Amino acid sequence: MDLNTVTEVVRRPSERPGTDWREGDAWLAGGTWLYSTEQPDLRRLIDLTALDWEPLVLTDEGLEIGATCTVRDLYAFPWPEDRTPGSLFRASCEAFLSSFKVWNAATVGGNICLSLPAGPMITLTVALEARYELWAADGSVRFVDALDFVTGDHRNVLAPGELLRRVTIPEHALRRRTAHRRFSLTRLGRSTVFLVGTRRPHASQLFLTVTAGTTRPVRIAFDSLPDARALRQSIEAVPADVWFADPNGTPDHRRHLTRHFAAEICRELTAGDPP
């Protein structure tokens, strides 16, 4: 879609682009959502891709993902054998259910900052206990846990002029066992629910991340592996106003799917444990 209110595109922003932020600006990365709908309040686009942020860096501390890393690059990342969540990364990319053209342009940071309930990069990074590095317009930097970033449907903690610079996934999360379940009404439909369970090898602690079916990500932590009753009670404890309603599912439907898939995830993550 043509953005006919935009009068300027900043092709080569400064290394700290937020310092030049003004009302009517928008960050431009992949632009796959930005150009998909009318943006009548926009006057200027600031192209972040010109900053050449490193897309993916694996260190001893974990994985750093630049905000402008594309879905294609994330999907193609060559995972070392001693890191376990490679299948979760691929499944999260596939949850976009979009063409190669979108994969080549859509960015990790763009999907997170759009903050839709079904954002698969939100699912991925919350499940793996990531932290987001945010750059403010005044030049300051702050760090926010991925779990706390999205506050509701299309809402997050970003202040005007603030941008997401990078996502950091800690090393210990990259060594957790993972299991995931996703449901959509049609093969190419938006996620109705997307659940991820993670567990440290040889440990009882289990994290269950619930997304798509809720307006914001929900993490349920178990100090020991839950039985069916404890699992059901923890899901029922999610506040009623957090469950999401749209044409892809009612809150009751999403709660039912969450109970069903959570039980499957727990069984998968406990398979092979000694009796």
Side-chain angles (χ1 to χ4, degrees):
M1 174 176 291
D2 292 334
L3 302 181
N4 54 23
T5 61
V6 173
T7 59
E8 183 182 358
V9 179
V10 179
R11 295 292 186 187
R12 296 190 177 278
S14 66
E15 289 297 318
R16 288 284 182 168
T19 57
D20 296 326
W21 178 269
R22 63 193 187 210
E23 187 175 354
D25 284 355
W27 306 119
L28 174 63
T32 53
W33 175 80
L34 193 67
Y35 284 100
S36 71
T37 186
E38 294 181 358
Q39 309 285 352
D41 297 327
L42 293 190
R43 301 294 179 267
R44 188 173 70 152
L45 302 180
I46 303 174
D47 186 1
L48 298 178
T49 62
L51 296 174
D52 291 327
W53 291 338
E54 192 73 26
L56 294 150
V57 179
L58 192 61
T59 70
D60 292 339
E61 287 74 39
L63 177 68
E64 295 182 357
I65 307 173
T68 53
C69 174
T70 65
V71 176
R72 177 199 61 193
D73 287 342
L74 190 66
Y75 188 85
F77 187 68
W79 281 101
E81 291 184 2
D82 61 344
R83 266 69 164 198
T84 56
S87 62
L88 176 60
F89 276 75
R90 290 188 290 273
S92 299
C93 292
E94 289 166 355
F96 277 95
L97 298 174
S98 52
S99 72
F100 72 92
K101 294 180 181 179
V102 173
W103 274 38
N104 287 340
T107 62
V108 173
N111 187 251
I112 291 170
C113 293
L114 188 55
S115 299
L116 297 178
M121 298 297 98
I122 299 168
T123 306
L124 172 68
T125 55
V126 171
L128 295 181
E129 305 167 57
R131 296 183 77 205
Y132 300 159
E133 180 180 331
L134 308 181
W135 287 4
D138 63 5
S140 62
V141 177
R142 64 173 174 142
F143 297 88
V144 175
D145 287 343
L147 180 64
D148 301 324
F149 181 80
V150 176
T151 58
D153 179 17
H154 207 40
R155 301 199 310 273
N156 58 48
V157 302
L158 286 173
E162 197 169 29
L163 62 88
L164 172 61
R165 168 59 184 89
R166 67 167 56 84
V167 176
T168 302
I169 297 174
E171 172 66 15
H172 70 82
L174 295 176
R175 297 184 183 275
R176 282 179 171 264
R177 292 178 57 195
T178 67
H180 59 272
R181 296 292 188 275
R182 178 180 170 274
F183 177 88
S184 61
L185 292 178
T186 63
R187 188 174 67 87
L188 297 178
R190 178 176 288 187
S191 300
T192 300
V193 294
F194 194 170
L195 280 71
V196 180
T198 67
R199 182 189 176 193
R200 288 186 307 160
H202 314 298
S204 296
Q205 186 187 57
L206 183 145
F207 288 164
L208 178 67
T209 299
V210 180
T211 63
T214 51
T215 57
R216 57 174 174 78
V218 173
R219 178 188 295 150
I220 304 172
F222 299 96
D223 291 331
S224 58
L225 298 175
D227 57 21
R229 182 184 180 197
L231 188 61
R232 182 183 181 92
Q233 287 178 339
S234 66
I235 294 169
E236 293 297 334
V238 176
D241 61 354
V242 173
W243 294 100
F244 188 47
D246 74 351
N248 295 292
T250 65
D252 284 343
H253 178 52
R254 287 176 148 117
R255 190 183 296 108
H256 167 76
L257 291 172
T258 298
R259 289 194 298 261
H260 174 76
F261 289 132
E264 288 191 353
I265 286 172
C266 285
R267 287 194 294 270
E268 180 175 334
L269 290 177
T270 55
D273 282 357

